[in-house]
Amino acid sequence: MTALPRVLVAAPASGHGKTTIAVGIMAALARRGLTVAPAKVGPDYIDPGYHALATGRPSRTLDPWLVGEGRVAPLLARGATHPTLADVAVLEGVMGLMDGRLGGDGFASSAHVATLTRTPVVLVVDISSTSRTVAATVHGLATIDPELDVVGVVLNKAGTPRHGEEARRAVEAVGVPVWGVLPRDAAMHVPSRHLGLVPAAERGEAAATLDHIAAVAEEHLDLDALLAASRTAPDLDLEPWAPAAALPSLQSPLPEERAPHSSRRGVVVAVAGGRAFTFRYPETVELLEAAGARVVELDPARDAALPEGTSGLYLGGGFPEVHARTLATNRPLVHQIRTAIAAGMPTIAECAGMLYLAETLDDHPMVGALPARAAMGRRLTLGYREATSLVDSVLGPAGTRVAGHEFHRTVTDPPFGTSAAWDLGGRTEGFALDPAGTGRATLVASYLHTHWAGSPSVAGSFVEAARGWGHDAPQPAQPLGRATPARSTSLADPLRHHGDAEVSSELVDLAVNVRLTQPPGWLAQALAEELSTVAAYPDPTRARDAIAARHGVARDQVLPTSGGAETFTLLARALTPRDAVVVHPQFTEPEAALRAAGHEVRHVLLRPEDDFALTAEALGQIGDADLVVVGNPTNPTGVLHPAATLRSLVRPGRVVLVDEAFIDSVPGERETLLAGDLTGLLVVRSLTKTWAVAGIRAGYVVGDAELVAALAEHQPHWSVGSLALRVMIETATPAALVEADRAAEEIAGWRAHLTRGLHTLGIPTAGGDAPFVLARVGTGVREALRDAGWAVRRGDTFPGLDTAWVRIAVRDPHTIDGLLRELTHLHHRRTA
């Protein structure tokens, strides 16, 4: 008998916000000091990651199709009692309350699980497009099944307090209490990609988002009423699921000291983890351990070798297609895995694991243990599967039956092996290979996700196969050079060298500072709409007005330009400086433009020992210059100079141009000069990096109206196209500015991750307020990184820097971990 207060959070349909509300409830209750046991209905991997982040406990997947009806409640009890007894369980539903397996009349639905576990239901209903009519929806769901106990409602996305109150009164009139009304709140949104939400392990700001969601839940929900309702759930009259008891050969598990010798032998099973392999059920590891294995997590992006003594490999689900280049560049591990599989090491690869073992993934070289190529497809494959194994394998004999689930947008060519893994009742699926000629398939790879609690014999069979392999895992090979040549160390014109010259399709790009791989959906849609107008000549009026409103300046202080770089050419044409100073190290295009126009340029060099700051000594070197060019934050140093220091440069007869191309990557755009007097100032902005529109060339200059007019006189007609103007309009909206600031906060977290890793390796860095990091890695390291598949921006083309410096674009932590892995390899080879 297990006493367990509990509630199940459900909704009329997907998209009502049940994940956000469920995670908010979990986090808010945990904040109160309660131990919360999370659970998820349906074959989901991503939502449980947020559950675990909120509660500190693994989330149990409760799916009658995958594990059988009889195991659903015991698995819930397992989650509530392991590793410690929980105070309350919060279950998150799937799709709509009554929606389950197609053709199954609600089998495996949230309602089905609520009935099997006798759990009270809390409904989350989106009221953004309705008010009183929501009462009919709630009344129907509360009365359709007499075995369901709908105990309360949360109304989500109320437009105004009056709107929310109208819906509340209507729902309470049908006899269902309303436990909270939540307003629309963009910060509660969790970003998604092609298979749903972005996993918590991949989101640098996930913890901050969680804190916000928990605070909203505490403010707007009646958690005391929810807890009271949870205590009305009857006790669970059953024993919790136990992995040892579930294994066929361990029906009467023995204490460790009395266990058979074979079960105590050191069988090491490596289980893929990290940010690329986030999908697996906790029962998988628990069953492997109960069968006698020592499970060690392997991060294929970071770890250079399999764990010592590895005799079995489990590669679960995730998003290798998102991180393909980082995975591909870990050549020592790739070689070791390929060699071990060829030698017969028992290996199971589900979905993402199969993609990783393919020859290529979206044309990126992968492990190559499977005779197949993988790529993103056009449609989503989704659904439950009943599978029967076609050959004897490390999973069991031919005829082994499992229940599984497919969820992917990729395809393989060929779609299945000559020896396929599974019969799905009408079609074959997967690969079953015996590369070492053992007489049974030692590698089973397929799109099928299985929940081993429903097929525990699979775990026992796999561990026995690993125990019998008897091979030492091959050692990783030294990284091999690739055919991509290092760029020449001598350049015709270093001032004209830019990061795009460093990249190629075969390299991981950390040389270019564009934030995204493509514009956000709303911007792409606006650009598609703009294509219908391109027969007309572009008119910059609306863009100037939008930019002026965004910065609180007059229209005549704004000039749209073809990227921020056009401003430098206009400046060189419009002015005739007698003493032009460029503060270096800094973006070289202003100096190149001035020299091309015939102007002499003097350097003021900032020093690394001063962290490239504008010291009093440096300010003194500027002297009586009548043109001063400086970046803020400066490219490539990442230094953000105080606005007051930059304003001190302004004086009669002097033009000060400040390149703020990267200041939208600074949270709150602090230290911008657009917040005050613009006399004598020109401030350059670029939109191409943050919004991934480098090919459109969208930028502008804001400043002293007389100076802006002088630049405009030298600008060719229609130099800024319609698409660039539309970018300026769309990205100046309040919603876009909120998104940009959120991106800046995320970049700040990612940058901190990069700098911490570099400092751990003893690599000095500069600055700290840009979407890149300047690092002194040492002479020759840039070329070595290139040979290993990584492109970083050379530093020696910036005046004041030498070949020891590189600029590294800030990317997601998973990609950065791959770079740090390579730098670690290089460090070890140099010190060996």
Side-chain angles (χ1 to χ4, degrees):
M1 186 74 69
T2 302
L4 179 62
R6 58 194 181 275
V7 292
L8 187 151
V9 180
S14 297
H16 281 246
K18 63 179 175 292
T19 298
T20 303
I21 303 303
V23 170
I25 291 170
M26 293 174 191
L29 294 179
R31 278 187 173 191
R32 289 189 172 191
L34 298 176
T35 300
V36 182
K40 171 65 182 177
V41 179
D44 196 308
Y45 296 95
I46 299 177
D47 293 352
Y50 287 91
H51 297 179
L53 190 63
T55 65
R57 293 168 72 99
S59 182
R60 301 289 165 167
T61 294
L62 310 178
D63 190 307
W65 170 260
L66 293 179
V67 303
E69 291 181 284
R71 293 189 184 95
V72 170
L75 282 169
L76 172 61
R78 167 74 172 182
T81 57
H82 181 81
T84 58
L85 184 64
D87 298 307
V88 62
V90 178
L91 292 63
E92 181 194 339
V94 62
M95 300 186 293
L97 176 63
M98 314 300 294
D99 302 328
R101 179 173 177 255
L102 290 177
D105 295 329
F107 190 92
S109 66
S110 300
H112 187 195
V113 170
T115 301
L116 290 173
T117 60
R118 302 172 70 190
T119 299
V121 174
V122 180
L123 290 176
V124 175
V125 187
D126 180 349
I127 62 169
S128 59
S129 299
T130 185
S131 57
R132 291 187 57 78
T133 305
V134 70
T137 300
V138 172
H139 178 70
L141 292 174
T143 58
I144 192 170
D145 185 345
E147 293 191 35
L148 285 177
D149 183 16
V150 176
V151 292
V153 175
V154 174
L155 303 178
N156 195 22
K157 300 181 183 179
T160 64
R162 184 180 178 186
H163 172 212
E165 189 58 31
E166 181 81 0
R168 176 198 288 273
R169 289 198 307 271
V171 171
E172 290 179 340
V174 299
V176 182
V178 174
W179 289 344
V181 180
L182 277 76
R184 292 191 184 97
D185 185 350
M188 292 182 71
H189 172 68
V190 177
S192 61
R193 62 162 67 114
H194 52 273
L195 293 184
L197 301 180
V198 176
E202 291 190 55
R203 294 197 63 214
E205 79 280 20
T209 300
L210 183 67
D211 286 342
H212 176 78
I213 293 173
V216 171
E218 289 178 326
E219 179 181 358
H220 294 281
L221 301 185
D222 188 344
L223 297 175
D224 291 330
L226 183 145
L227 284 171
S230 75
R231 298 185 186 105
T232 66
D235 294 347
L236 295 173
D237 188 10
L238 49 83
E239 288 296 319
W241 179 85
L247 290 167
S249 60
L250 294 175
Q251 292 298 324
S252 299
L254 299 174
E256 178 64 25
E257 65 273 14
R258 295 176 54 205
H261 175 70
S262 62
S263 69
R264 297 199 304 268
R265 287 177 55 195
V267 180
V268 177
V269 173
V271 174
R275 291 183 173 90
F277 294 92
T278 56
F279 297 5
R280 69 171 180 266
Y281 299 115
E283 292 81 7
T284 299
V285 170
E286 292 172 351
L287 284 164
L288 288 172
E289 291 175 337
R294 181 166 68 88
V295 176
V296 181
E297 185 165 302
L298 167 75
D299 186 343
R302 299 191 65 176
D303 296 330
L306 290 167
E308 184 178 356
T310 294
S311 54
L313 176 62
Y314 174 88
L315 298 160
F319 288 105
E321 64 271 23
V322 177
H323 308 290
R325 289 186 177 180
T326 302
L327 295 170
T329 56
N330 194 358
R331 286 178 233 151
L333 180 64
V334 164
H335 174 83
Q336 188 187 21
I337 290 176
R338 181 171 60 243
T339 304
I341 290 175
M345 182 178 69
T347 302
I348 300 172
E350 293 189 348
C351 199
M354 178 177 67
L355 305 181
Y356 178 59
L357 295 184
E359 294 174 351
T360 60
L361 173 54
D362 286 335
D363 294 327
H364 300 297
M366 290 285 109
V367 171
L370 289 176
R373 301 168 68 88
M376 287 296 296
R378 293 184 176 181
R379 66 184 184 89
L380 174 66
T381 299
L382 171 68
Y384 288 117
R385 306 287 184 257
E386 188 170 10
T388 304
S389 64
L390 291 170
V391 299
D392 293 343
S393 76
V394 293
L395 298 182
T400 298
R401 298 171 66 88
V402 300
H405 185 261
E406 278 190 271
F407 187 38
H408 58 92
R409 284 193 185 274
T410 56
V411 294
T412 63
D413 181 20
F416 49 85
T418 303
S419 294
W422 304 104
D423 176 3
L424 300 184
R427 67 179 176 92
T428 54
E429 204 278 321
F431 300 79
L433 305 181
D434 182 14
T438 66
R440 64 173 175 175
T442 54
L443 167 60
V444 179
S446 77
Y447 276 119
L448 194 68
H449 290 290
T450 56
H451 195 309
W452 285 6
S455 310
S457 65
V458 168
S461 178
F462 181 66
V463 171
E464 285 304 310
R467 181 174 289 116
W469 183 41
H471 286 258
D472 292 328
Q475 293 303 304
Q478 289 298 315
L480 302 175
R482 59 170 61 204
T484 305
R487 299 297 172 94
S488 171
T489 57
S490 61
L491 298 167
D493 184 358
L495 295 180
R496 293 294 189 181
H497 182 81
H498 300 298
D500 59 326
E502 306 274 358
V503 302
S504 77
S505 60
E506 296 187 7
L507 301 176
V508 181
D509 176 15
L510 300 182
V512 174
N513 296 308
V514 176
R515 178 174 68 95
L516 305 169
T517 57
Q518 59 187 17
W522 54 267
L523 182 55
Q525 181 178 350
L527 292 172
E529 293 172 356
E530 191 65 28
L531 288 173
S532 64
T533 73
V534 296
Y537 286 100
D539 180 355
T541 303
R542 288 183 58 218
R544 293 184 78 171
D545 288 342
I547 296 166
R550 180 245 196 275
H551 293 294
V553 298
R555 180 197 289 180
D556 63 358
Q557 293 179 289
V558 175
L559 180 65
T561 57
S562 179
E566 188 190 19
T567 299
F568 309 134
T569 299
L570 299 178
L571 180 82
R573 293 174 180 173
L575 301 185
T576 55
R578 55 175 175 73
D579 183 13
V581 164
V582 176
V583 179
H584 280 296
Q586 100 119 34
F587 186 48
T588 54
E589 199 62 33
E591 179 173 344
L594 287 165
R595 291 191 181 279
H599 305 301
E600 295 294 326
V601 175
R602 182 162 59 90
H603 293 173
V604 170
L605 297 179
L606 305 184
R607 301 180 304 182
E609 53 267 35
D610 298 324
D611 197 23
F612 300 103
L614 268 169
T615 62
E617 180 181 350
L619 292 172
Q621 292 174 18
I622 292 174
D624 294 328
D626 57 348
L627 172 62
V628 179
V629 179
V630 62
N632 204 43
T634 303
N635 173 15
T637 66
V639 171
L640 185 66
H641 303 294
T645 301
L646 296 178
R647 287 194 179 280
S648 72
L649 295 172
V650 177
R651 63 184 58 179
R654 173 185 287 174
V655 175
V656 177
L657 184 146
V658 181
D659 181 3
E660 291 189 350
F662 292 102
I663 205 160
D664 56 0
S665 67
V666 177
E669 295 189 355
R670 68 182 190 280
E671 309 301 343
T672 178
L673 293 191
L674 291 182
D677 184 14
L678 295 176
T679 302
L681 280 170
L682 290 171
V683 179
V684 182
R685 289 293 185 97
S686 172
L687 300 171
T688 61
K689 309 298 192 300
T690 291
W691 302 112
V693 288
I696 291 179
R697 311 307 304 142
Y700 56 90
V701 58
V702 179
D704 187 308
E706 290 187 9
L707 293 174
V708 169
L711 299 187
E713 288 180 5
H714 290 268
Q715 186 178 41
H717 283 301
W718 314 298
S719 71
V720 184
S722 299
L723 294 179
L725 294 170
R726 184 65 179 266
V727 169
M728 297 174 202
I729 294 168
E730 296 295 332
T731 59
T733 65
L737 297 180
V738 169
E739 183 172 330
D741 203 53
R742 190 180 304 130
E745 294 285 356
E746 181 177 61
I747 288 171
W750 292 358
R751 182 176 55 244
H753 180 74
L754 171 58
T755 53
R756 280 195 302 269
L758 293 171
H759 293 166
T760 298
L761 294 173
I763 296 173
T765 63
D769 288 285
F772 48 80
V773 170
L774 182 67
R776 191 177 181 89
V777 296
T779 300
V781 172
R782 179 185 71 86
E783 292 81 1
L785 285 173
R786 188 176 184 83
D787 288 340
W790 298 83
V792 294
R793 171 64 159 90
R794 63 190 299 168
D796 59 328
T797 63
F798 295 100
L801 300 180
D802 58 25
T803 56
W805 292 93
V806 298
R807 190 191 69 195
I808 305 170
V810 171
R811 297 287 190 259
D812 64 276
H814 189 274
T815 302
I816 291 304
D817 286 347
L819 174 73
L820 295 173
R821 177 202 71 219
E822 290 299 334
L823 287 170
T824 301
H825 292 171
L826 291 173
H827 176 73
H828 288 165
R829 288 206 296 273
R830 288 187 165 208
T831 57

Short mmCIF file of all heavy atoms in Angstrom, two decimals, residues 170-206:
data_model
loop_
_atom_site.label_atom_id
_atom_site.label_comp_id
_atom_site.label_asym_id
_atom_site.label_seq_id
_atom_site.Cartn_x
_atom_site.Cartn_y
_atom_site.Cartn_z
N ALA A 170 -18.00 31.83 -15.53
CA ALA A 170 -18.72 30.85 -16.35
C ALA A 170 -18.35 29.42 -15.95
O ALA A 170 -19.22 28.54 -15.85
CB ALA A 170 -18.42 31.08 -17.82
N VAL A 171 -17.07 29.18 -15.72
CA VAL A 171 -16.64 27.83 -15.36
C VAL A 171 -17.14 27.46 -13.98
O VAL A 171 -17.63 26.34 -13.76
CB VAL A 171 -15.10 27.73 -15.44
CG1 VAL A 171 -14.62 26.40 -14.84
CG2 VAL A 171 -14.62 27.86 -16.87
N GLU A 172 -17.04 28.37 -13.03
CA GLU A 172 -17.50 28.05 -11.68
C GLU A 172 -19.00 27.83 -11.64
O GLU A 172 -19.51 27.08 -10.79
CB GLU A 172 -17.09 29.17 -10.73
CG GLU A 172 -15.57 29.19 -10.49
CD GLU A 172 -15.13 30.31 -9.57
OE1 GLU A 172 -15.90 31.29 -9.41
OE2 GLU A 172 -14.02 30.22 -9.01
N ALA A 173 -19.73 28.41 -12.59
CA ALA A 173 -21.18 28.22 -12.66
C ALA A 173 -21.55 26.79 -13.03
O ALA A 173 -22.67 26.34 -12.73
CB ALA A 173 -21.79 29.18 -13.67
N VAL A 174 -20.64 26.03 -13.66
CA VAL A 174 -20.95 24.63 -13.99
C VAL A 174 -20.40 23.69 -12.93
O VAL A 174 -20.38 22.47 -13.12
CB VAL A 174 -20.40 24.25 -15.39
CG1 VAL A 174 -21.04 25.11 -16.46
CG2 VAL A 174 -18.89 24.34 -15.45
N GLY A 175 -19.92 24.25 -11.82
CA GLY A 175 -19.57 23.45 -10.67
C GLY A 175 -18.13 22.99 -10.57
O GLY A 175 -17.81 22.13 -9.75
N VAL A 176 -17.24 23.56 -11.37
CA VAL A 176 -15.82 23.18 -11.31
C VAL A 176 -15.03 24.37 -10.79
O VAL A 176 -15.08 25.46 -11.39
CB VAL A 176 -15.29 22.74 -12.69
CG1 VAL A 176 -13.83 22.30 -12.58
CG2 VAL A 176 -16.14 21.60 -13.25
N PRO A 177 -14.29 24.21 -9.71
CA PRO A 177 -13.54 25.35 -9.17
C PRO A 177 -12.39 25.77 -10.08
O PRO A 177 -11.74 24.95 -10.72
CB PRO A 177 -13.00 24.83 -7.83
CG PRO A 177 -13.01 23.35 -7.96
CD PRO A 177 -14.15 23.00 -8.86
N VAL A 178 -12.17 27.07 -10.14
CA VAL A 178 -11.05 27.63 -10.90
C VAL A 178 -9.93 27.94 -9.92
O VAL A 178 -10.12 28.73 -8.99
CB VAL A 178 -11.48 28.89 -11.68
CG1 VAL A 178 -10.26 29.54 -12.35
CG2 VAL A 178 -12.53 28.54 -12.72
N TRP A 179 -8.76 27.37 -10.16
CA TRP A 179 -7.64 27.51 -9.23
C TRP A 179 -6.64 28.55 -9.68
O TRP A 179 -5.58 28.71 -9.06
CB TRP A 179 -6.94 26.17 -9.05
CG TRP A 179 -7.75 25.18 -8.27
CD1 TRP A 179 -8.84 25.45 -7.51
CD2 TRP A 179 -7.52 23.78 -8.19
NE1 TRP A 179 -9.32 24.29 -6.94
CE2 TRP A 179 -8.53 23.24 -7.35
CE3 TRP A 179 -6.59 22.92 -8.74
CZ2 TRP A 179 -8.61 21.88 -7.05
CZ3 TRP A 179 -6.67 21.56 -8.44
CH2 TRP A 179 -7.66 21.06 -7.60
N GLY A 180 -6.95 29.26 -10.73
CA GLY A 180 -6.04 30.32 -11.14
C GLY A 180 -6.33 30.78 -12.56
O GLY A 180 -6.86 30.02 -13.39
N VAL A 181 -6.02 32.05 -12.81
CA VAL A 181 -6.12 32.63 -14.14
C VAL A 181 -4.77 33.24 -14.46
O VAL A 181 -4.31 34.15 -13.77
CB VAL A 181 -7.23 33.70 -14.21
CG1 VAL A 181 -7.30 34.29 -15.62
CG2 VAL A 181 -8.58 33.12 -13.79
N LEU A 182 -4.13 32.74 -15.50
CA LEU A 182 -2.80 33.22 -15.86
C LEU A 182 -2.87 34.16 -17.05
O LEU A 182 -3.55 33.88 -18.04
CB LEU A 182 -1.87 32.05 -16.21
CG LEU A 182 -1.21 31.36 -15.02
CD1 LEU A 182 -2.21 30.47 -14.30
CD2 LEU A 182 -0.01 30.54 -15.46
N PRO A 183 -2.18 35.28 -16.97
CA PRO A 183 -2.14 36.21 -18.11
C PRO A 183 -1.20 35.71 -19.20
O PRO A 183 -0.37 34.84 -18.98
CB PRO A 183 -1.61 37.50 -17.48
CG PRO A 183 -0.73 37.01 -16.36
CD PRO A 183 -1.39 35.76 -15.83
N ARG A 184 -1.36 36.29 -20.37
CA ARG A 184 -0.38 36.00 -21.41
C ARG A 184 0.99 36.47 -20.93
O ARG A 184 1.14 37.55 -20.39
CB ARG A 184 -0.73 36.76 -22.70
CG ARG A 184 -1.99 36.28 -23.38
CD ARG A 184 -2.08 36.90 -24.77
NE ARG A 184 -3.33 36.55 -25.43
CZ ARG A 184 -4.41 37.32 -25.47
NH1 ARG A 184 -4.39 38.50 -24.87
NH2 ARG A 184 -5.49 36.94 -26.09
N ASP A 185 2.02 35.65 -21.16
CA ASP A 185 3.35 35.99 -20.68
C ASP A 185 4.37 35.34 -21.60
O ASP A 185 4.59 34.14 -21.55
CB ASP A 185 3.54 35.49 -19.25
CG ASP A 185 4.87 35.94 -18.66
OD1 ASP A 185 5.72 36.46 -19.41
OD2 ASP A 185 5.06 35.75 -17.46
N ALA A 186 5.00 36.12 -22.46
CA ALA A 186 5.93 35.57 -23.44
C ALA A 186 7.11 34.88 -22.78
O ALA A 186 7.70 33.96 -23.33
CB ALA A 186 6.43 36.67 -24.37
N ALA A 187 7.50 35.33 -21.59
CA ALA A 187 8.66 34.74 -20.93
C ALA A 187 8.39 33.32 -20.44
O ALA A 187 9.31 32.62 -20.05
CB ALA A 187 9.09 35.60 -19.75
N MET A 188 7.12 32.87 -20.48
CA MET A 188 6.81 31.49 -20.10
C MET A 188 6.90 30.56 -21.29
O MET A 188 6.69 29.37 -21.17
CB MET A 188 5.41 31.42 -19.49
CG MET A 188 5.28 32.10 -18.16
SD MET A 188 3.64 31.93 -17.45
CE MET A 188 3.62 30.21 -17.00
N HIS A 189 7.25 31.10 -22.45
CA HIS A 189 7.33 30.29 -23.65
C HIS A 189 8.65 29.53 -23.67
O HIS A 189 9.71 30.08 -23.41
CB HIS A 189 7.24 31.18 -24.89
CG HIS A 189 7.50 30.45 -26.18
ND1 HIS A 189 6.66 29.50 -26.66
CD2 HIS A 189 8.54 30.53 -27.04
CE1 HIS A 189 7.15 29.04 -27.80
NE2 HIS A 189 8.29 29.65 -28.04
N VAL A 190 8.58 28.23 -23.98
CA VAL A 190 9.76 27.41 -24.14
C VAL A 190 9.95 27.18 -25.63
O VAL A 190 9.05 26.69 -26.29
CB VAL A 190 9.61 26.06 -23.40
CG1 VAL A 190 10.84 25.18 -23.63
CG2 VAL A 190 9.41 26.30 -21.91
N PRO A 191 11.11 27.54 -26.21
CA PRO A 191 11.29 27.43 -27.66
C PRO A 191 11.19 26.00 -28.14
O PRO A 191 11.49 25.05 -27.41
CB PRO A 191 12.68 28.01 -27.90
CG PRO A 191 13.36 27.96 -26.61
CD PRO A 191 12.31 28.07 -25.56
N SER A 192 10.76 25.83 -29.39
CA SER A 192 10.58 24.51 -29.95
C SER A 192 11.37 24.37 -31.23
O SER A 192 11.85 25.33 -31.80
CB SER A 192 9.09 24.25 -30.21
OG SER A 192 8.59 25.18 -31.15
N ARG A 193 11.49 23.12 -31.67
CA ARG A 193 12.09 22.83 -32.97
C ARG A 193 11.29 21.72 -33.61
O ARG A 193 10.17 21.45 -33.22
CB ARG A 193 13.57 22.49 -32.81
CG ARG A 193 13.89 21.25 -31.99
CD ARG A 193 15.32 20.77 -32.25
NE ARG A 193 16.30 21.71 -31.77
CZ ARG A 193 17.14 21.47 -30.78
NH1 ARG A 193 17.11 20.30 -30.19
NH2 ARG A 193 18.01 22.36 -30.40
N HIS A 194 11.87 21.02 -34.59
CA HIS A 194 11.08 20.15 -35.44
C HIS A 194 10.44 18.97 -34.72
O HIS A 194 9.50 18.39 -35.24
CB HIS A 194 11.93 19.64 -36.62
CG HIS A 194 13.23 19.02 -36.21
ND1 HIS A 194 14.38 19.75 -36.02
CD2 HIS A 194 13.58 17.74 -35.97
CE1 HIS A 194 15.38 18.94 -35.69
NE2 HIS A 194 14.92 17.71 -35.65
N LEU A 195 10.90 18.59 -33.54
CA LEU A 195 10.27 17.49 -32.82
C LEU A 195 9.64 17.94 -31.52
O LEU A 195 9.37 17.12 -30.65
CB LEU A 195 11.31 16.38 -32.53
CG LEU A 195 11.85 15.63 -33.74
CD1 LEU A 195 12.76 14.51 -33.29
CD2 LEU A 195 10.72 15.06 -34.59
N GLY A 196 9.40 19.24 -31.36
CA GLY A 196 8.76 19.71 -30.14
C GLY A 196 9.63 20.71 -29.41
O GLY A 196 10.41 21.44 -30.02
N LEU A 197 9.51 20.74 -28.10
CA LEU A 197 10.27 21.69 -27.30
C LEU A 197 11.76 21.40 -27.38
O LEU A 197 12.18 20.26 -27.56
CB LEU A 197 9.82 21.62 -25.83
CG LEU A 197 8.34 21.90 -25.54
CD1 LEU A 197 8.09 21.79 -24.05
CD2 LEU A 197 7.93 23.26 -26.04
N VAL A 198 12.56 22.44 -27.23
CA VAL A 198 14.01 22.26 -27.14
C VAL A 198 14.31 21.64 -25.77
O VAL A 198 13.85 22.12 -24.74
CB VAL A 198 14.74 23.61 -27.28
CG1 VAL A 198 16.23 23.43 -27.08
CG2 VAL A 198 14.45 24.21 -28.66
N PRO A 199 15.07 20.54 -25.72
CA PRO A 199 15.34 19.88 -24.44
C PRO A 199 15.97 20.82 -23.44
O PRO A 199 16.76 21.70 -23.79
CB PRO A 199 16.30 18.74 -24.82
CG PRO A 199 16.01 18.47 -26.26
CD PRO A 199 15.64 19.81 -26.85
N ALA A 200 15.64 20.60 -22.16
CA ALA A 200 16.18 21.45 -21.10
C ALA A 200 17.70 21.42 -21.09
O ALA A 200 18.35 22.43 -20.80
CB ALA A 200 15.63 20.99 -19.75
N ALA A 201 18.29 20.26 -21.41
CA ALA A 201 19.75 20.14 -21.39
C ALA A 201 20.42 21.02 -22.43
O ALA A 201 21.61 21.30 -22.32
CB ALA A 201 20.16 18.68 -21.61
N GLU A 202 19.67 21.45 -23.45
CA GLU A 202 20.25 22.29 -24.50
C GLU A 202 19.99 23.77 -24.29
O GLU A 202 20.48 24.59 -25.05
CB GLU A 202 19.68 21.88 -25.86
CG GLU A 202 20.12 20.51 -26.34
CD GLU A 202 19.71 20.28 -27.78
OE1 GLU A 202 20.06 21.10 -28.64
OE2 GLU A 202 19.01 19.29 -28.03
N ARG A 203 19.19 24.12 -23.30
CA ARG A 203 18.81 25.52 -23.13
C ARG A 203 19.60 26.13 -21.99
O ARG A 203 19.42 25.81 -20.82
CB ARG A 203 17.31 25.64 -22.83
CG ARG A 203 16.43 25.22 -23.99
CD ARG A 203 15.02 25.75 -23.78
NE ARG A 203 15.02 27.19 -23.78
CZ ARG A 203 14.18 27.92 -23.03
NH1 ARG A 203 13.33 27.35 -22.24
NH2 ARG A 203 14.22 29.23 -23.09
N GLY A 204 20.50 27.03 -22.37
CA GLY A 204 21.32 27.68 -21.35
C GLY A 204 20.50 28.46 -20.33
O GLY A 204 20.89 28.59 -19.18
N GLU A 205 19.36 28.99 -20.76
CA GLU A 205 18.56 29.81 -19.86
C GLU A 205 17.40 29.03 -19.25
O GLU A 205 16.49 29.60 -18.66
CB GLU A 205 18.01 31.03 -20.61
CG GLU A 205 16.79 30.80 -21.50
CD GLU A 205 17.11 30.19 -22.83
OE1 GLU A 205 18.19 29.59 -22.98
OE2 GLU A 205 16.28 30.29 -23.74
N ALA A 206 17.43 27.68 -19.35
CA ALA A 206 16.31 26.87 -18.87
C ALA A 206 16.04 27.10 -17.39
O ALA A 206 14.88 27.21 -16.97
CB ALA A 206 16.58 25.39 -19.14
#
